Amino acid sequence: QVQLVESGGGLVQAGGSLRLSCAVSGRTLSRYAMAWFRQAPGKEGEFVAAISRSAGITRYADSVKGRFTISRDNGKNTVYLQMNRLKPEDTAVYYCAADGDGVVVTTIGTEYDYWGQGTQVTVSS
């Protein structure tokens, strides 16, 4: 069974940076396309970023493009989300997700097979 554990969340002031990590265990990371989603209190969950198995394809939500970078290190079984120039509207619980059956990187949450427990990111104004 695949398990995903996020870390790196915390409290940061607007304009600051955080790096989230998602450690994957159970199977080789290279088998999965990976993504980050987020959900703010009282709001619907939304796609943030995704990366293909070989890291050759990345996709970003318009709201984070140019500020966030998704990357992966298959040798370390870890996926990262580097978040720069953070804004208060980035405040949310961030979830890591894995898709084991797709070859096209999808932005749809229901297409992903495994999810982490989430890590809280709070950006103060």
Side-chain angles (χ1 to χ4, degrees), residues 1-6 22-29 32 34 77-78 96-98 113-117:
Q1 199 71 250
V2 175
Q3 294 183 336
L4 287 68
V5 180
E6 302 97 334
C22 175
V24 179
S25 63
R27 289 189 175 182
T28 304
L29 179 65
Y32 303 95
M34 302 294 297
N77 289 329
T78 303
C96 180
D113 303 301
Y114 305 99
W115 294 81
Q117 295 298 306

Side-chain angles (χ1 to χ4, degrees), residues 94-114:
Y94 284 71
Y95 297 92
C96 180
D99 176 15
D101 58 6
V103 297
V104 176
V105 179
T106 180
T107 64
I108 307 301
T110 54
E111 296 292 333
Y112 288 83
D113 303 301
Y114 305 99

